[in-house]
Amino acid sequence: LRFTHPICIYFVYLHPKGILNVNNNSLNGYLPDSWDENNLIEDLEVAGNKFNGPLPASLAKAKFLKDFRASRNQLTGSLPVEYHQFENLEELYLDQNKMVGELPQTAEPFYDGLQEFSIHSNDFEGRFPVEHFEKTFRIKVLSLHRNRLTGTITANICARKDTELAYTQIVTLTADCDLMDCDCCTCYEGGELVQGTGS
């Protein structure tokens, strides 16, 4: 199935229910870039398809969006700077694509609300801005491995893996430990899982 212009428009304006799930349908083409402030989408799931090209910058105008899952596609480019202004986004899954670039180093609104952040198996690079995740007790998933990210996962983040914590516990924490310093991560080296790590 190939997205043509009329189908894209239908895709963008499917907003009354607030949920659109087209996971695992072998859809291809670009994700539509015609979102606006009137769109009520809260949950957009397009994982497991063959979408390519960049993430749609206009999606940042969908101010009610809480969950965006675009894993296992062929998406390219970097994280749009417009996404830095997401205020309600809680779950962002971009893993297993072909994305590049650096994560913003400055304090941005979208860091404050994230609960699940999965970007593994791309080609992101540069320093991972761990300090912005130390400031929020909401983050539960940080899946960073199979990239070229550097830096240190701090003791404050590691302490959040304590199983006695409830709402504030980090349940998934992965990194490339040949590039990043982390004493508590599930580690990957050379892209391969290091057995016995993550405790």
Side-chain angles (χ1 to χ4, degrees):
L1 177 64
R2 181 78 180 178
F3 262 162
T4 60
H5 184 68
I7 297 178
C8 286
I9 295 300
Y10 182 62
F11 183 88
V12 170
Y13 285 97
L14 271 176
H15 57 66
K17 294 183 179 179
I19 299 173
L20 180 59
N21 185 328
V22 293
N23 290 337
N24 305 312
N25 275 294
S26 297
L27 301 172
N28 58 25
Y30 286 1
L31 291 173
D33 196 9
S34 302
W35 304 86
D36 61 35
E37 295 83 354
N38 296 318
N39 201 290
L40 303 180
I41 191 78
E42 295 182 14
D43 184 343
L44 176 59
E45 303 194 23
V46 297
N49 287 290
K50 299 178 181 179
F51 292 116
N52 55 57
L55 292 173
S58 66
L59 184 61
K61 296 179 181 179
K63 58 186 177 182
F64 297 105
L65 186 65
K66 294 181 178 180
D67 187 352
F68 179 33
R69 297 174 183 251
S71 307
R72 305 188 316 279
N73 281 286
Q74 300 170 19
L75 299 171
T76 56
S78 59
L79 187 70
V81 66
E82 290 85 356
Y83 287 22
H84 303 176
Q85 302 305 311
F86 272 125
E87 294 184 350
N88 294 313
L89 191 65
E90 297 177 351
E91 300 176 10
L92 180 59
Y93 282 77
L94 301 175
D95 49 273
Q96 300 180 70
N97 280 289
K98 300 177 181 180
M99 299 190 65
V100 299
E102 298 187 5
L103 299 175
Q105 300 295 310
T106 53
E108 301 294 347
F110 92 111
Y111 282 136
D112 295 333
L114 281 176
Q115 297 182 21
E116 301 179 19
F117 186 50
S118 180
I119 57 171
H120 73 79
S121 306
N122 280 285
D123 198 22
F124 288 106
E125 61 183 335
R127 177 182 168 275
F128 177 70
V130 65
E131 64 274 14
H132 302 313
F133 292 91
E134 287 186 309
K135 295 177 181 178
T136 173
F137 287 101
R138 304 187 72 184
I139 194 71
K140 296 177 177 61
V141 173
L142 275 175
S143 189
L144 310 173
H145 63 281
R146 292 180 180 154
N147 283 289
R148 292 187 290 145
L149 295 169
T150 59
T152 299
I153 300 298
T154 61
N156 288 338
I157 293 291
C158 286
R160 298 260 308 281
K161 291 192 68 182
D162 187 341
T163 56
E164 294 186 2
L165 298 175
Y167 182 73
T168 59
Q169 182 192 5
I170 294 177
V171 296
T172 299
L173 180 58
T174 70
D176 295 299
C177 295
D178 48 351
L179 299 174
M180 299 183 70
D181 293 326
C182 183
D183 294 331
C184 63
C185 291
T186 298
C187 285
Y188 288 73
E189 293 185 0
E192 298 298 324
L193 175 65
V194 179
Q195 298 295 331
T197 60
S199 59

